[in-house]
Amino acid sequence: MTEARLDRLSALLEGLSPRVWPSDRGQELSLHIVRAAPADGQPPLIDALRLLVSPPGQGVDVQALRARGLVLWMSFEVAFDGPVGRLFLDEFRQPLEIGLTRADPSLIQVVHLIASEIETRRCGQPLFMNRAGDILLIGLLRHLVSAPMGSMRLFNGLADPRIARTLVAMHADPASPWTLATLALEGGMSRTSFANRFKAVMGVSAGKYLENLRLALAHRMVATGMGLKRVARETGYAGPSTLSRAMHRAA
């Protein structure tokens, strides 16, 4: 029987709960489609399009783009309502530029779809653009999994089939009583091999990553007014006192 294809992003996206909307204000994580300055009204070629990703609060330097012969074409902002958003944003501390000539096919497809929509005014375009932002974000994440950057630990892990299985398991069920042994089993490795490989790829131990994930969940639940007893139960802590100490250490 063929092994089911691993879905590396669905559980992560659920924990992120992203909201994407057209905007160039740059207050949140922002995605910018830029192109080479138009010539003779010709449609943009694939090597003339780029996707820029800017950390929250940085926006994009339009003057710097013009100096390179590029123009800003369309921008989206992304806010994360889910508990994993804070951990996720740590991966985007520096601006990122992606040329489409070597991008993941799904990212190329959605950028060209948006480009086509910009070029031709059609009925329902505002709603289309709102939905297109969501698809653009997924295309970006797929690209980063298929071609991870050395400094982006999470995507390095998701690109590694064995580590990805353990990350997906933790993202899908962070409250499960995970141990080094059970996580190693998810990844199909011995405990020692798993522990060493996880830390080498992710930059932290599996136990620390799981703790950070659980604390992110706990902070979000507490912020919504949920009691510590219930939060501890739903995030895998032994009890409210254990959770309280963990939150205090992390403060």
Side-chain angles (χ1 to χ4, degrees):
M1 180 181 295
T2 303
E3 184 180 355
R5 185 177 179 84
L6 181 66
D7 185 343
R8 302 165 196 248
L9 294 178
S10 289
L12 175 62
L13 284 165
E14 186 175 344
L16 291 172
S17 297
R19 289 183 292 113
V20 191
W21 66 96
S23 171
D24 60 1
R25 296 179 65 187
Q27 294 181 336
E28 308 288 348
L29 183 76
S30 48
L31 314 179
H32 309 280
I33 299 174
V34 302
R35 61 174 291 187
D40 301 325
Q42 295 298 314
L45 300 173
I46 188 171
D47 57 359
L49 291 170
R50 285 168 172 75
L51 179 66
L52 306 183
V53 184
S54 300
Q58 290 196 23
V60 64
D61 188 335
V62 175
Q63 296 299 325
L65 287 179
R66 287 177 180 169
R68 297 171 56 193
L70 301 171
V71 294
L72 180 63
W73 213 17
M74 185 69 198
S75 297
F76 298 87
E77 286 195 76
V78 189
F80 300 101
D81 295 331
V84 187
R86 185 169 59 178
L87 299 179
F88 181 81
L89 286 174
D90 284 342
E91 301 289 320
F92 293 93
R93 294 181 178 178
Q94 300 296 326
L96 175 65
E97 180 173 335
I98 301 171
L100 292 191
T101 50
R102 297 182 179 179
D104 184 83
S106 62
L107 180 57
I108 296 172
Q109 185 177 29
V110 69
V111 169
H112 275 277
L113 182 64
I114 293 171
S116 174
E117 191 69 18
I118 295 171
E119 288 289 295
T120 307
R121 291 282 181 178
R122 295 187 176 95
C123 297
Q125 190 174 77
L127 183 60
F128 175 94
M129 283 300 183
N130 280 321
R131 298 295 185 267
D134 293 320
I135 302 171
L136 179 62
L137 175 63
I138 293 172
L140 169 64
L141 300 186
R142 287 177 175 173
H143 170 79
L144 292 175
V145 169
S146 67
M149 311 291 178
S151 61
M152 305 184 83
R153 299 285 193 173
L154 175 60
F155 295 102
N156 290 342
L158 290 171
D160 184 306
R162 291 177 292 182
I163 298 303
R165 292 188 186 96
T166 67
L167 289 171
V168 168
M170 286 188 277
H171 292 161
D173 191 7
S176 183
W178 296 111
T179 65
L180 188 62
T182 57
L183 288 171
L185 185 62
E186 286 284 337
M189 290 179 276
S190 70
R191 287 188 298 177
T192 300
S193 294
F194 167 68
N196 292 338
R197 187 171 187 83
F198 192 98
K199 189 165 186 178
V201 172
M202 297 293 294
V204 295
S205 68
K208 184 63 176 177
Y209 183 86
L210 179 60
E211 180 184 5
N212 291 341
L213 178 60
R214 287 173 169 172
L215 282 172
L217 290 165
H219 280 292
R220 179 55 63 94
M221 290 177 181
V222 169
T224 63
M226 192 179 295
L228 282 182
K229 185 175 181 180
R230 181 179 172 188
V231 173
R233 184 172 64 250
E234 295 194 9
T235 55
Y237 285 91
S241 60
T242 306
L243 171 60
S244 181
R245 287 194 297 271
M247 295 178 76
H248 180 75
R249 288 195 303 270

